């Protein structure tokens, strides 16, 4: 029981962290119809800004969790206004290539500013211990990741289903021309959605910082996992991002414990099977057709 309980909690920990990151990618695609390859770099930037605020400036972790994502969101507004606004009406392949270039620019900028070495962020004192749960010793910080993942899940559901801002974003996603006809400032919506997606990526980066070593390649690794999540769950689907993240979390949680030899292979195998039999993802548009 202790092994299964530990694997389950580890799966939730990994899955909800992936959800925080991948849902931003999915929201940007669902509303703007662009595949943001730079999403992983924005996640990495959130982690590095947190490292700077905590280790160099001396701020507490909680201040970094608030400020670093805001800084990344401001950068995303600049990226949107200076670069992305020129390709929103073009083919989706153009957005893929441009955001890939942005990914490389951010990666090299991080290497120049922070160097190629590994950096470490310690968890806050309040979350540095462990507790007994389901017959296993579980890190308090892992429980914090699960809680913040659930809070963001509830907050996003409320935003999209119970607020006027959420309804405007959904309207812009369904028919941007019709939204403009209804006097909705779609230009502002587009910029806001891209900044919001970047904010989510950066929140994921700050939350992940005490769990993972920081290096200039961390964005590349997370964007691969994020794409696996959205391919399995369905590109542009909010529930699909949650389902895909939980599935990938279970693969890592149980696969790492019971099938360590093939654990790294399983996510790609799952993605290949979904592409073969559900090319739009399990909950993507047209998945039930």
């Amino acid at each position: 029981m202790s092994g299964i309980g530990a694997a389950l909690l580890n799966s939730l920990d990994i899955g909800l962290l992936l959800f925080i990151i991948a849902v931003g990618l999915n929201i940007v695609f669902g509303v703007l119809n662009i595949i943001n390859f730079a999403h992983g770099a924005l996640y990495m930037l959130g982690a590095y800004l947190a490292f700077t605020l905590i280790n160099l400036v001396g701020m507490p972790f909680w201040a970094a969790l608030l400020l670093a994502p805001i800084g990344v969101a401001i950068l995303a507004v600049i990226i949107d206004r200076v670069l992305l606004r020129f390709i929103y009406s073009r083919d989706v392949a153009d957005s893929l290539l441009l955001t890939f270039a942005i990914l490389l620019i951010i990666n090299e900028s991080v290497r120049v500013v922070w160097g190629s070495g590994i950096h470490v962020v310690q968890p806050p004192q309040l979350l540095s211990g462990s507790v007994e749960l389901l017959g296993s010793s579980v890190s308090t910080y892992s429980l914090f990741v699960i809680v913040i993942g659930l809070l963001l899940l509830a907050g996003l559901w409320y935003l999209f289903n119970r607020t006027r801002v959420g309804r405007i974003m959904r309207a812009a996603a369904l028919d941007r021309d019709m939204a403009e006809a209804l006097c909705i400032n779609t230009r502002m919506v587009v910029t806001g959605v891209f900044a919001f997606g970047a904010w989510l990526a950066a929140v994921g980066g700050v939350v992940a910082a005490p769990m993972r070593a920081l290096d200039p390649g961390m964005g590349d690794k997370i964007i691969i996992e994020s794409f696996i999540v959205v391919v399995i769950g369905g590109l542009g689907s909010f529930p699909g991002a949650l389902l895909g993240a939980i599935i990938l979390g279970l693969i890592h949680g149980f696969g790492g414990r019971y099938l360590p030899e093939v654990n790294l292979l399983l996510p790609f195998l799952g993605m290949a099977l979904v592409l073969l039999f559900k090319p739009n993802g399990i909950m993507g548009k047209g998945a039930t057709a």
Side-chain angles (χ1 to χ4, degrees):
M1 176 62 191
S2 63
I4 294 176
L8 182 61
L9 289 171
N10 192 29
S11 301
L12 281 175
D13 172 3
I14 297 171
L16 287 171
L17 177 60
L18 284 173
F19 168 75
I20 295 171
I21 301 160
V23 73
L25 185 69
N26 241 1
I27 290 172
V28 168
F29 178 80
V31 178
L32 310 185
N33 198 34
I34 68 167
I35 298 176
N36 181 17
F37 218 88
H39 197 72
L42 297 170
Y43 153 87
M44 173 182 65
L45 203 53
Y48 270 92
L49 285 179
F51 165 77
T52 301
L53 293 173
I54 296 169
N55 291 33
L56 303 183
V57 179
M59 286 186 177
F61 172 83
W62 307 106
L65 181 58
L66 177 66
L67 295 178
I70 293 175
V72 175
I74 292 172
L75 175 65
V77 170
I78 296 171
I79 292 173
D80 172 78
R81 303 296 292 182
V82 175
L83 297 173
L84 292 179
R85 67 191 180 97
F86 297 107
I87 54 94
Y88 282 132
S89 58
R90 298 188 193 173
D91 187 83
V92 69
D94 288 2
S95 68
L96 184 63
L97 293 173
L98 179 57
T99 56
F100 182 66
I102 295 170
L103 162 74
L104 296 178
I105 292 170
I106 295 176
N107 279 359
E108 288 308 309
S109 300
V110 165
R111 207 181 304 275
V112 168
V113 175
W114 284 281
S116 301
I118 292 175
H119 300 289
V120 176
V121 174
Q122 296 296 332
Q125 186 67 29
L126 179 66
L127 304 174
S128 60
S130 61
V131 295
E132 287 292 324
L133 195 62
L134 297 179
S136 302
S137 177
V138 182
S139 157
T140 311
Y141 194 82
S142 292
L143 294 179
F144 164 72
V145 174
I146 293 172
V147 169
I148 199 169
L150 292 174
L151 288 175
L152 276 173
L153 170 63
L156 288 170
W157 179 87
Y158 186 83
L159 172 69
F160 285 107
N161 292 282
R162 291 289 186 271
T163 69
R164 185 170 183 273
V165 171
R167 286 193 288 273
I168 288 174
M169 290 167 66
R170 292 167 62 187
L174 289 172
D175 192 329
R176 200 174 298 177
D177 293 334
M178 179 62 73
E180 285 182 353
L182 294 172
C183 300
I184 293 173
N185 186 341
T186 56
R187 179 62 259 170
M188 186 176 292
V189 172
V190 166
T191 302
V193 167
F194 187 74
F196 185 55
W199 181 84
L200 285 168
V203 168
V206 179
V207 172
M211 305 168 66
R212 303 180 179 186
L214 276 60
D215 68 79
M218 64 184 294
D220 302 345
K221 299 168 192 167
I222 202 67
I223 195 63
I224 293 172
E225 291 194 313
S226 297
F227 274 120
I228 292 173
V229 166
V230 299
V231 166
I232 291 176
L235 198 55
S237 167
F238 173 71
L242 176 61
L243 179 63
I246 293 299
I247 289 175
L248 192 54
L250 288 169
I251 289 174
H252 281 312
F254 283 88
R257 181 169 292 269
Y258 297 108
L259 298 168
E261 298 84 1
V262 295
N263 182 41
L264 295 178
L265 175 67
L266 293 177
F268 302 109
L269 182 61
M271 183 173 70
L273 290 173
V274 169
L275 283 172
L276 280 175
F277 298 106
K278 288 276 190 181
N280 292 319
I282 297 173
M283 302 187 72
K285 295 173 183 176
T288 57

